[in-house]
Amino acid sequence: MLLSDRMKDPNQGEGDRASARRYDAHVEKFVDDGRVPDAATEAAAFVAADPEAAAKAEAAAKQGPHKGLFERIVDKIRGHH
């Protein structure tokens, strides 16, 4: 990206401000719509029904949306897919 393009980019730095605002708005709407208790109940039922799958889902969520090259190599070595 050219310097002139970066100066025009409203998402300066490492963060994407537009995406952050959109995410925050969706979270606020989710809470305002009263959906948290149902989501918590559903999550608790999932954990109770399949604790192993829940632990795997939690570990995947902690990795973030994309695994880096290092994590993918480690997974291959460990036999994880």
Side-chain angles (χ1 to χ4, degrees):
M1 179 184 287
L2 298 173
L3 179 59
S4 61
D5 292 337
R6 278 186 270 157
M7 291 172 61
K8 294 177 191 174
D9 186 1
N11 298 317
Q12 299 170 3
E14 293 183 25
D16 178 344
R17 294 178 188 162
S19 293
R21 282 192 298 271
R22 193 168 42 253
Y23 172 81
D24 290 345
H26 287 141
V27 169
E28 187 173 348
K29 182 173 178 2
F30 187 88
V31 172
D32 288 347
D33 288 349
R35 296 172 58 192
V36 174
D38 289 342
T41 300
E42 184 179 334
F46 174 67
V47 171
D50 196 345
E52 186 176 328
K56 286 181 182 180
E58 180 181 13
K62 286 180 180 180
Q63 285 288 323
H66 305 287
K67 285 190 177 184
L69 178 60
F70 177 76
E71 288 84 5
R72 290 193 310 258
I73 291 171
V74 170
D75 282 351
K76 284 186 180 186
I77 292 170
R78 291 182 177 162
H80 300 147
H81 301 280

